[in-house]
């Protein structure tokens, strides 16, 4: 036994040396996939947290996110970097995430959480279009078709809403939520920070959200299940996911990670169905799948769609 252990360690070391290096594209994909897995919990947790006021939900979640991020930076010994984020970056992250998430919380009150999720997740397609415009690049025919397929898929997903008094305002809120995040992601793709900028922004987000809650929302008491859902929002889809995504978009592989991000609505539908907090119809599933296919084409990830780093 005393001889076998060193031998095993030597074999493992040799194996690790032979493994191919973890390249920048694979790293970007891993960061984006991690963000997707955490984002997928957002509709389920938000549905459980409702009908608590949206600014209260977001404010408490952001406060917890700030504490978690600060704790991680303390353990890593990077507290100085934690507070080194520029005011401009703090403002961009705060405004982008506040508007995106509060609009989504308002949308799910008017339309179903699954429908709102599919509409909001048109943002990767919107991001590809925005970045192509910004870089003065022309989208290929397949990419243009992909954008059209994605929007048709969203229309199919919300089709059942016609049976429940079609809510234009709810659909618009969900779309604006996605559009704002696409703009936010486009701006953050130009960021050059090497440290976490989402965690520090959570503190400002918490102050603003709780301030809005005190000013315009009625007071509310929260049950244990809602407290747990809010805690989950603060840790998973709000703080950790956005920190991973923020690092992913700064790798330059925006088109690739936008395509990966479109796995989120499908993963979200699965969680909504598993936990029984949302109705997942055949039309909704077909629409979400169409959105994913359209996004992959728009991002240049399908054969014949052309390669782009938009």
């Amino acid at each position: 036994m005393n001889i076998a252990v060193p031998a095993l360690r030597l074999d493992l070391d040799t194996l690790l040396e032979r493994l191919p290096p973890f390249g920048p594209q694979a790293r970007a994909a891993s960061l984006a996939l991690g963000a997707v897995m955490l984002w997928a919990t957002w509709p389920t947790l938000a549905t459980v947290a409702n009908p608590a006021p949206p600014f209260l939900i977001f404010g408490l979640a952001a406060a917890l996110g700030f504490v978690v991020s600060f704790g991680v930076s303390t353990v890593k010994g990077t507290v100085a970097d934690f507070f080194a984020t520029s005011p401009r970056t703090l403002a961009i992250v705060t405004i982008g995430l506040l508007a995106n998430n509060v609009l989504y919380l308002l949308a799910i009150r008017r339309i179903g959480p699954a429908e709102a999720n599919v509409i909001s997740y048109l943002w990767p397609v919107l991001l590809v279009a925005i970045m192509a415009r910004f870089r003065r690049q022309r989208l290929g025919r397949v990419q243009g078709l992909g954008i059209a397929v994605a929007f048709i898929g969203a229309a199919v997903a919300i089709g059942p809403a016609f049976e429940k008094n079609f809510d234009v305002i709810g659909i618009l809120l969900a779309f604006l939520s996605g559009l704002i995040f696409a703009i936010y992601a486009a701006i953050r793709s130009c960021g050059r920070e090497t440290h976490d900028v989402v965690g520090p922004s959570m503190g400002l987000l918490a102050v603003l959200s709780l301030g809005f809650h005190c000013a315009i929302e009625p007071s509310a008491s929260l049950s244990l299940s809602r407290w747990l859902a809010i805690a989950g929002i603060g840790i998973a889809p709000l703080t950790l996911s956005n920190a991973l995504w923020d690092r992913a978009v700064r790798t330059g592989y925006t088109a690739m990670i936008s395509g990966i991000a479109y796995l989120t609505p499908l993963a979200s539908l699965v969680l909504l169905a598993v936990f029984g907090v949302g109705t997942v119809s055949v039309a909704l599933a077909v629409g979400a799948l169409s959105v994913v296919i359209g996004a992959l084409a728009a991002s240049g990830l399908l054969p014949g769609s052309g390669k782009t780093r938009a």
Side-chain angles (χ1 to χ4, degrees), residues 246-258:
D246 192 75
R247 292 188 180 186
V249 296
R250 283 184 274 130
T251 62
Y253 296 96
T254 313
M256 179 188 68
I257 64 175
S258 294

Side-chain angles (χ1 to χ4, degrees), residues 116-190:
N117 191 57
V118 172
I119 298 169
S120 179
Y121 271 89
L122 283 170
W123 73 258
V125 161
L126 296 172
L127 175 59
V128 171
I130 290 171
M131 293 302 291
R133 179 71 175 176
F134 177 73
R135 294 173 177 173
R136 297 182 180 180
Q137 296 174 340
R138 295 190 64 179
L139 296 175
R141 186 174 300 176
V142 175
Q143 290 176 294
L145 180 61
I147 292 176
V149 169
F151 275 90
I152 292 172
V156 171
I158 63 177
F162 280 106
E163 303 172 4
K164 308 174 185 177
N165 297 323
F166 189 65
D167 194 326
V168 177
I169 295 178
I171 293 172
L172 181 61
L173 288 170
F175 178 78
L176 287 176
S177 171
L179 177 61
I180 287 173
F181 195 82
I183 296 172
Y184 162 75
I187 295 173
R188 285 301 303 143
S189 67
C190 300

Side-chain angles (χ1 to χ4, degrees), residues 38-265:
L38 295 172
W39 267 333
T41 65
W42 171 232
T44 298
L45 292 172
T47 303
V48 175
N50 269 322
F55 280 111
L56 176 61
I57 293 174
F58 193 66
L60 292 174
L64 179 59
F66 177 81
V67 172
V68 171
S69 297
F70 181 74
V72 171
S73 68
T74 301
V75 172
K76 293 171 62 178
T78 57
V79 175
D81 291 337
F82 190 83
F83 291 107
T85 307
S86 68
R88 179 178 179 274
T89 299
L90 282 175
I92 291 172
V93 176
T94 299
I95 294 172
L97 295 184
L98 179 63
N100 162 246
N101 288 282
V102 170
L103 286 172
Y104 178 80
L105 287 170
L106 292 172
I108 66 175
R109 292 185 164 205
R110 305 185 68 101
I111 58 178
E115 288 85 354
N117 191 57
V118 172
I119 298 169
S120 179
Y121 271 89
L122 283 170
W123 73 258
V125 161
L126 296 172
L127 175 59
V128 171
I130 290 171
M131 293 302 291
R133 179 71 175 176
F134 177 73
R135 294 173 177 173
R136 297 182 180 180
Q137 296 174 340
R138 295 190 64 179
L139 296 175
R141 186 174 300 176
V142 175
Q143 290 176 294
L145 180 61
I147 292 176
V149 169
F151 275 90
I152 292 172
V156 171
I158 63 177
F162 280 106
E163 303 172 4
K164 308 174 185 177
N165 297 323
F166 189 65
D167 194 326
V168 177
I169 295 178
I171 293 172
L172 181 61
L173 288 170
F175 178 78
L176 287 176
S177 171
L179 177 61
I180 287 173
F181 195 82
I183 296 172
Y184 162 75
I187 295 173
R188 285 301 303 143
S189 67
C190 300
R192 294 294 177 264
E193 300 89 349
T194 57
H195 61 278
D196 175 27
V197 301
V198 174
S201 302
M202 288 295 123
L204 184 56
L205 278 166
V207 171
L208 287 176
S209 296
L210 293 176
F212 282 128
H213 166 67
C214 293
I216 65 176
E217 290 180 336
S219 58
S221 59
L222 301 175
S223 64
L224 177 60
S225 62
R226 291 196 177 101
W227 273 113
L228 292 175
I230 290 172
I233 291 171
I235 295 172
L238 182 57
T239 301
L240 297 181
S241 64
N242 283 305
L244 290 175
W245 177 259
D246 192 75
R247 292 188 180 186
V249 296
R250 283 184 274 130
T251 62
Y253 296 96
T254 313
M256 179 188 68
I257 64 175
S258 294
I260 293 173
Y262 252 110
L263 294 174
T264 310

